[in-house]
């Protein structure tokens, strides 16, 4: 075992050295890729995720999550074999996108609201792309086709539900030794108020400190997310320049031919496995493939969520005893589930509605071409004011960190 660990360490060191050498050989291309990743994080990822992270921390601090867990227990326990608090994590992960599900699951595990097995089940199906990214960036931004948003979203979220149901069987043998008799939970109003009071009393932080801690914790997580986005944006570009992506494309073309998909989709698929945004952009530009084939491949790597997001999740889970392997296996299942569901739903969700010409009856009004609804407004707001919001919140973060440092320095 020691020899295997030594070989693994040596191989990792060699790969890192090769990456460093590639950065020196292709400095201009690396800078462009880094700038692209930074722009994505600065303008969109940070301002879209930070409010959800802060609100989540406040809800946990005030005991609202424990209250919701009591009422959601009858839904989450029979279907997914996780406590009711998993419903809150699932909802927030769906609304805000990755890696919110992993962050909240790790927090619930640290709060002892989940067992290790329950946390591994929960994290496997609560990390998903948010609707704004699917509808705004992929469907409208890359494919210029609003009707595709509904198909991609249904495939993505139904696939996640399938993963959750499948992962309910994870850890059954281990859990058998830890199973305890659960007492019936009181769901009266008085009991609900007592739950909130007890959780708030146990937390003990005043509102100002709770808010400050929420901002600091959220910004730290998003700084880590930004670093991974930039790193994998550069890595993806370097692999293309040195020809490694073309080498993998030969192998992936064999797999694609088995599913009767054109070889030209191999490069977008590989890029999407590293970074979703670039993969979706490349997939939408493959003229040799039909729109149906482009959507199937996009559904797969959108569900797989890319090595960039998986690295973010691994970093978050490393702070707990939650294992990463079940999450990775779940992503593979999610990719196949989403692709299969997109094939099944294609004639019902996209083909009929597109031929009928009445898209407004199928998708939300804000997704129709030329509309100026809430979704479109939010997407434009992110691109116009996202960078300013990011700058303001980073200044607040620096101020809070400096204040805490001065308080610790005082005798």
């Amino acid at each position: 075992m020691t020899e295997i660990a030594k070989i693994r360490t040596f191989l990792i060191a060699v790969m890192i050295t090769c990456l460093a050498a590639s950065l020196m050989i292709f400095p201009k291309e690396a800078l462009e890729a880094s700038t692209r990743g930074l722009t994505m994080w600065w303008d969109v990822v940070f301002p879209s995720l930070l409010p959800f992270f802060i609100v989540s921390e406040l809800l946990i601090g005030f005991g609202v999550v424990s209250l919701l867990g009591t009422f959601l227990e009858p839904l989450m326990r029979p279907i997914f074999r996780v406590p009711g608090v998993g419903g809150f994590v699932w909802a927030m992960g769906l609304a805000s996108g990755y890696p919110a599900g992993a962050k909240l699951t790790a927090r619930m595990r640290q709060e002892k609201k989940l067992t290790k097995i329950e946390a591994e089940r929960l994290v496997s199906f609560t990390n998903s792309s948010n609707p704004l990214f699917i509808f705004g960036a992929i469907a409208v931004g890359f494919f210029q086709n609003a009707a595709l948003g509904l198909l991609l979203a249904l495939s993505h979220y139904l696939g996640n539900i399938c993963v959750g149901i499948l992962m309910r069987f994870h850890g059954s043998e281990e859990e058998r030794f830890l199973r305890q008799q659960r007492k019936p939970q009181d769901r009266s109003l008085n009991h609900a108020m007592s739950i909130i009071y007890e959780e708030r009393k146990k937390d003990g932080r005043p509102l100002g400190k709770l808010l400050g801690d929420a901002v600091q914790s959220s910004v730290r997580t998003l700084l880590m997310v930004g670093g991974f986005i930039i790193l994998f944006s550069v890595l993806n570009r370097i692999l293309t320049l040195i020809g490694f992506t073309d080498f993998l494309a030969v192998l992936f073309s064999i797999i694609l031919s088995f599913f009767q998909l054109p070889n030209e989709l191999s490069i977008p698929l590989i890029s999407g496995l590293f970074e979703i945004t670039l993969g979706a952009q490349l997939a939408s530009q493959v003229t040799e493939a039909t729109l149906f084939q482009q959507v199937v491949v996009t559904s797969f790597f959108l569900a797989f969520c890319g090595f960039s997001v998986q690295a973010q999740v691994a970093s978050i889970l490393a702070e707990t005893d939650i294992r990463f392997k079940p999450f990775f296996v779940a992503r593979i299942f999610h990719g196949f589930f989403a692709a299969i569901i997109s094939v099944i739903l294609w004639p019902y969700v996209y083909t009929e509605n597109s031929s009928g010409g009445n898209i407004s009856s199928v998708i939300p009004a804000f997704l129709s071409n030329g509309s100026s609804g809430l979704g479109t407004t939010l997407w434009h707001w992110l691109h116009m004011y996202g960078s300013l919001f990011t700058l303001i919140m980073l200044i607040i973060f620096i101020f809070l960190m400096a204040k805490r440092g001065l308080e610790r320095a005082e005798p």
Side-chain angles (χ1 to χ4, degrees), residues 27-302:
K28 180 181 177 181
E29 291 81 358
L31 177 61
E32 292 174 352
S34 179
T35 303
R36 177 183 172 278
L38 177 62
T39 302
M40 181 69 181
W41 174 81
W42 183 270
D43 290 341
V44 178
V45 175
F46 189 99
S48 63
L49 283 181
L50 184 64
F52 286 97
F53 281 3
I54 295 176
V55 170
S56 300
E57 291 286 340
L58 294 177
L59 290 175
I60 294 172
F62 276 94
V64 178
V65 174
S66 297
L67 172 63
L68 291 175
T70 302
F71 291 99
L72 292 175
E73 184 82 11
L75 173 66
M76 301 301 293
R77 182 69 67 179
I79 300 177
F80 303 111
R81 290 179 68 188
V82 296
V85 293
F88 166 78
V89 177
W90 190 17
M92 294 300 292
L94 186 150
S96 56
Y98 352 83
K103 175 178 171 58
L104 294 175
T105 301
R107 179 65 188 275
M108 293 296 101
R109 176 59 181 151
Q110 292 169 346
E111 295 280 336
K112 304 298 182 183
K113 292 181 173 61
L114 298 169
T115 66
K116 176 184 176 182
I117 299 299
E118 290 171 344
E120 290 173 353
R121 290 176 188 155
L122 183 61
V123 76
S124 67
F125 71 95
T126 54
N127 276 272
S128 58
S129 178
N130 64 34
L132 188 61
F133 178 74
I134 295 177
F135 286 110
I138 296 182
V140 177
F142 295 143
F143 286 94
Q144 305 296 315
N145 192 332
L148 283 180
L150 185 63
L151 176 64
L152 289 171
L154 284 175
S155 303
H156 190 71
Y157 299 128
L158 289 177
N160 236 349
I161 294 175
C162 293
V163 170
I165 296 174
L166 178 65
M167 292 299 291
R168 76 186 304 274
F169 302 103
H170 165 67
S172 298
E173 293 297 325
E174 299 178 51
E175 197 177 43
R176 183 178 302 173
F177 300 100
L178 302 174
R179 190 172 298 164
Q180 297 177 354
Q181 187 69 29
R182 299 185 182 91
K183 298 179 181 180
Q185 292 183 319
D186 184 4
R187 297 185 179 89
S188 63
L189 180 61
N190 290 333
H191 182 67
M193 295 179 64
S194 65
I195 288 177
I196 294 179
Y197 175 75
E198 290 298 329
E199 287 289 327
R200 184 74 187 104
K201 182 179 178 181
K202 184 170 66 175
D203 186 278
R205 291 175 293 176
L207 178 60
K209 179 169 178 48
L210 180 61
L211 182 59
D213 290 345
V215 171
Q216 293 183 58
S217 174
S218 302
V219 172
R220 281 198 197 96
T221 301
L222 287 172
L223 287 173
M224 178 270 296
V225 169
F228 276 113
I229 291 175
I230 295 171
L231 173 63
F232 276 85
S233 179
V234 173
L235 180 61
N236 197 16
R237 181 59 176 158
I238 293 297
L239 291 177
T240 302
L241 292 172
I242 64 177
F244 186 73
T245 302
D246 295 330
F247 170 74
L248 288 179
V250 176
L251 301 177
F252 275 81
S253 63
I254 300 174
I255 300 175
L256 290 175
S257 62
F258 177 79
F259 293 101
Q260 298 182 349
L261 295 172
N263 298 337
E264 288 78 9
L265 286 172
S266 57
I267 296 294
L269 177 58
I270 295 171
S271 300
L273 293 180
F274 282 90
E275 187 189 15
I276 301 170
T277 309
L278 180 59
Q281 183 181 22
L282 294 177
S284 66
Q285 297 171 352
V286 178
T287 57
E288 294 83 0
T290 64
L291 182 61
F292 169 73
Q293 294 168 336
Q294 293 171 337
V295 168
V296 171
V297 171
T298 303
S299 295
F300 178 85
F301 62 68
L302 181 64

